[in-house]
Amino acid sequence: MRLWQQDLDGGVNEPDAASSVAVDPRGDVAAAGVTVNAVGNFTVMKFSAAGTKLWQQDLSGTAGSAAANSVAVNARGDVVAGGITINTNNDFISTVAKFSRDGTGLWRHDLNGTGAGAEQAFCVAIDNGGVVVAGGETSNSSSALTVLRFDKE
């Protein structure tokens, strides 16, 4: 039996999609993906256990398009998401962002390698103390598997 469903449309006839979901100890659901209005947005949102949308944050790069690939939550309800944003000159940037339980942006890190290829975070994790870890790829002289650890602040 389905308890609830939320469908979010970015507003244009382009594909919007959730790529990752996580549930916190209160039963609230965090989701990450892409919503498209004029450009794709790195979208992170949180729903109550009953399905009410609590908040939504849309991030983008300086050149527009972006997408969130992964989301994680901790026992306090903090949310972290990782993905990709595109900046000027078609520069693909690995983006990791952390939000409080109420959706306030705590920090955002945009990471760029020295090479001409694409960077992006494919997965994220957060511990109960607030320490964030992300994994993905970075382009330096060649593409590399990348693991990043961020302090809780």
Side-chain angles (χ1 to χ4, degrees):
M1 171 190 329
R2 180 183 314 164
L3 297 178
W4 56 266
Q5 175 178 331
Q6 286 284 356
D7 298 315
L8 302 171
D9 186 353
V12 297
N13 192 20
E14 294 289 333
D16 304 297
S19 55
S20 181
V21 295
V23 180
D24 72 18
R26 295 173 43 175
D28 294 344
V29 177
V34 62
T35 55
V36 182
N37 46 43
V39 296
N41 293 304
F42 177 118
T43 300
V44 183
M45 62 198 77
K46 197 165 189 186
F47 303 95
S48 72
T52 303
K53 185 165 83 169
L54 301 173
W55 55 265
Q56 178 176 336
Q57 293 284 352
D58 295 312
L59 307 177
S60 63
T62 58
S65 290
N69 295 327
S70 182
V71 69
V73 296
N74 66 7
R76 294 188 317 212
D78 294 335
V79 177
V80 63
I84 187 169
T85 54
I86 302 174
N87 288 334
T88 50
N89 300 324
N90 238 10
D91 198 11
F92 291 69
I93 306 295
S94 178
T95 299
V96 180
K98 185 178 178 183
F99 306 92
S100 68
R101 177 187 359 213
D102 68 2
T104 302
L106 299 175
W107 53 255
R108 171 181 171 171
H109 292 287
D110 294 317
L111 308 158
N112 195 4
T114 59
E119 286 79 29
Q120 68 179 300
F122 291 110
C123 53
V124 292
I126 182 170
D127 70 14
N128 288 334
V131 173
V132 174
V133 178
E137 69 176 319
T138 302
S139 176
N140 292 313
S141 59
S142 65
S143 184
L145 179 150
T146 301
V147 177
L148 304 157
R149 182 180 168 130
F150 300 95
D151 193 6
K152 62 183 175 181
E153 304 302 321

